[in-house]
Amino acid sequence: MSVTVLALPGNESLASALAALTQATLGELEVRRFPDGESYVRVLSPVAGKDFVLAATLHQPDAQMLPLYFLASTLRELGAARIVLVAPYLAYMRQDAIFHPGEGVTARYFARWVSTFVDGLITVDPHLHRIPQLEAVYAIPCETLAAAPLMASWLKQELPDAVLIGPDVESEQWVSEVASLAGCPFTVLQKTRRGDRDVSVSVPHIDAFRGRTPVLIDDIVSTGRTMAAACRLLTEQGFARPLGIGVHAILADDAMEALHQSGLARLITCNTIRHASNGIDLHPLLAAATTRLLNQLRQSAPPREEA
Ligand code: R5P
């Protein structure tokens, strides 16, 4: 079965890597905005009977979602056999509960919508906290990949004397796994978030780790305030300037500046979102998952008909 990979704007290097690593065709697409801000999508490659892989990492999702939806719907109408979304960063996972009266669980609404227009989803370390697994909210087969083994390999090679520090209890799941794979000790801080850019962290029991290089590990670095607060705390405690390792480099607005001012020695991220801090390549992991998921879909169900 022939497979075509299409890149949503900004995802060209991911799409090229997926096509090269899975021996698929790199397809052509036109995506642009009309003067009134509406989206225009045109598929320039043959569609009927083919499987499609859509490369679309979903940071800043609101601008991307309509083109993605229009693309998947167009492919379906033109007779695509199966459509797999490769979204190394999966948006809308953090509003996974009602925190204040009047809110909705947008993680669930988003998942319900995406499940209506693609047949399978591949992502890396989605922010699973109160949602136990993607299948609890997505109604399609999902491949949930972990960056931990590759982060651990990087640490083993570059910083074998590290102590890993998670900035909050939510990070324990990633930090403990990376630590066990890298053979490093770890600890987790207590975080209090008072607003989007107002975060404080508590003093941890880290005296035992003096002499090691502190490495802050988090899944998402968004405003950078969580990592910056943890970094300041460690340097105030007399530790060497920490290094930060994040999976998803959202790095919104002045995040890099906030990290720099906090004294962070260096930030290394995985290439789930393209950024100058990318230092850990997950494309081979994503390509292997793409082949696996397409095979699974081929075995489990005939191509879906347009409703
Ligand atoms: C929180 O739940 C996440 O694991 C990250 O700690 C958080 O998203 C980081 O956000 P920011 O960089 O905006 O502090």
Side-chain angles (χ1 to χ4, degrees):
M1 172 72 71
S2 122
V3 180
T4 302
V5 182
L6 293 174
L8 271 289
N11 292 273
E12 292 75 12
S13 60
L14 169 62
S16 303
L18 290 175
L21 293 166
T22 63
Q23 278 94 49
T25 304
L26 190 57
E28 281 185 72
L29 186 65
E30 183 182 350
V31 181
R32 63 180 171 85
R33 287 207 187 275
F34 289 110
D36 61 2
E38 293 183 359
S39 294
Y40 173 85
V41 174
R42 182 180 174 207
V43 183
L44 301 168
S45 300
V47 176
K50 294 181 189 302
D51 287 341
F52 279 83
V53 174
L54 310 186
T57 203
L58 293 176
H59 67 305
Q60 299 177 348
D62 293 13
Q64 293 198 68
M65 286 310 293
L66 271 182
L68 178 62
Y69 172 67
F70 291 156
L71 172 59
S73 303
T74 306
L75 290 172
R76 193 78 72 196
E77 282 203 343
L78 293 174
R82 295 164 199 87
I83 303 172
V84 165
L85 171 61
V86 178
Y89 174 69
L90 185 58
Y92 284 109
M93 288 302 294
R94 286 183 288 175
Q95 182 74 28
D96 57 357
I98 293 171
F99 301 102
H100 305 284
E103 291 176 353
V105 183
T106 51
R108 197 150 36 80
Y109 310 155
F110 186 77
R112 194 187 299 154
W113 181 37
V114 172
S115 301
T116 64
F117 63 85
V118 297
D119 301 312
L121 168 68
I122 297 170
T123 192
V124 180
D125 289 325
H127 189 81
L128 293 170
H129 186 47
R130 283 155 285 251
I131 292 169
Q133 56 192 27
L134 287 183
E135 286 80 356
V137 287
Y138 280 82
I140 49 175
C142 298
E143 275 263 0
T144 305
L145 304 173
L150 290 162
M151 289 160 99
S153 305
W154 189 92
L155 278 163
K156 264 184 169 168
Q157 205 167 326
E158 306 284 332
L159 272 183
D161 72 332
V163 51
L164 308 191
I165 298 157
D168 54 26
V169 282
E170 292 178 21
S171 65
E172 178 157 1
Q173 52 185 313
W174 302 284
V175 182
S176 58
E177 197 189 344
V178 177
S180 115
L181 293 169
C184 302
F186 80 95
T187 187
V188 167
L189 316 184
Q190 295 282 335
K191 173 168 86 174
T192 309
R193 185 186 280 283
R194 287 174 295 272
D196 287 349
R197 290 180 169 71
D198 185 6
V199 171
S200 65
V201 286
S202 69
V203 179
H205 303 289
I206 48 176
D207 276 346
F209 306 124
R210 286 191 189 280
R212 286 184 168 265
T213 307
V215 178
L216 292 160
I217 305 258
D218 210 347
D219 60 335
I220 299 171
V221 192
S222 180
T223 65
R225 281 359 185 233
T226 300
M227 201 171 262
C231 179
R232 264 194 301 273
L233 178 93
L234 291 169
T235 43
E236 280 161 20
Q237 299 285 308
F239 278 82
R241 286 175 63 194
L243 194 108
I245 301 189
V247 180
H248 304 296
I250 292 183
L251 296 165
D253 306 326
D254 62 350
M256 282 309 284
E257 181 56 26
L259 290 171
H260 181 68
Q261 281 180 8
S262 74
L264 196 77
R266 188 177 165 200
L267 177 68
I268 310 290
T269 58
C270 302
N271 58 350
T272 58
I273 297 170
R274 258 180 56 191
H275 188 264
S277 62
N278 290 167
I280 300 172
D281 181 16
L282 301 191
H283 288 169
L285 189 72
L286 289 158
T290 302
T291 303
R292 266 198 314 275
L293 185 54
L294 277 170
N295 284 338
Q296 181 192 329
L297 291 172
R298 285 174 193 140
Q299 279 159 19
S300 63
R304 188 158 80 171
E305 296 291 325
E306 182 61 14

